[in-house]
Structures are given as structure tokens and as C-alpha cells.
Amino acid sequence: LQMQVEWEPDPDNVYLTSGGLDNLALHKGSTSVVDHFGYFVPEMSDVDRWYDWVRSQGAKIVKELKTHRDGARSFYFSDPDGIVIQILFHEPVSARARQNAAR
């Protein structure tokens, strides 16, 4: 698997892609543990629908809905074991998700 830089907004953050749905976000931090898992959705409106559903289930919202400076939209919540999950729409990756869903 060969990955390429998709976006490097600053020296502490880089987003890599394999050109498919495999993506890796690297963020400079003070620990070596996994910070969170992210799941891409095909449409921006899907983020809001997932947010509503997650809240209706009583899950803890870690970071509220946000549209990021690159146009992505996401929110973070924790599962019952405390694992942080991000639901994310990011057009370059989400477009690939739509293409795969159409197959």
C-alpha cells in the first residue's frame, strides 16, 4: 500500500491517502496511543443525520458538529468503552465512497 500526502494544513498535521478509502491522519501529540477512529460518510448531510442519531442514543458528544477550514464536516463521540469515534464528510474521500456505493 503506497500512501501520498492529501493535505498538510500545518507542520503538526498531515493527512495521507492511498487513493481509495484507506486514509490515515497523523497529528503531533504527547502520547503514542490512538486518539480516535474516523468513519467517512458519502454526503455532508449524513454527518448531521448521524449526529442526531448518536445523540438520540445518549452517547457522549466529545466534539460538536463542525465544518472545518478545508470544507470537511464532522463530529466526535465516545462509545460505551470510551473509544472516540469521528463521523466525517471530506469531499475527496467521500466522493470515492459514493463511487464504491454505486457499484
Side-chain angles (χ1 to χ4, degrees):
L1 178 67
Q2 184 177 14
M3 300 197 91
Q4 300 173 347
V5 173
E6 179 177 29
W7 187 46
E8 188 172 357
D10 54 57
D12 294 334
N13 299 282
V14 64
Y15 298 81
L16 306 173
T17 181
S18 66
L21 292 177
D22 297 322
N23 292 274
L24 178 64
L26 301 173
H27 308 287
K28 183 177 179 182
S30 60
T31 66
S32 62
V33 298
V34 173
D35 179 70
H36 69 279
F37 291 96
Y39 294 94
F40 288 99
V41 294
E43 303 293 339
M44 186 177 287
S45 60
D46 293 332
V47 176
D48 295 63
R49 281 195 289 279
W50 273 106
Y51 176 82
D52 291 341
W53 185 83
V54 166
R55 288 200 58 185
S56 76
Q57 300 304 304
K60 178 184 175 189
I61 301 298
V62 176
K63 292 183 184 177
E64 290 290 334
L65 278 169
K66 176 182 179 180
T67 300
H68 304 270
R69 57 187 166 176
D70 65 347
R73 185 160 175 81
S74 72
F75 74 97
Y76 297 74
F77 68 99
S78 60
D79 77 359
D81 294 321
I83 297 170
V84 177
I85 299 168
Q86 178 187 26
I87 302 296
L88 173 68
F89 169 85
H90 180 58
E91 183 55 37
V93 177
S94 295
R96 292 189 291 273
R98 287 192 300 274
Q99 289 171 352
N100 286 344
R103 291 181 190 177

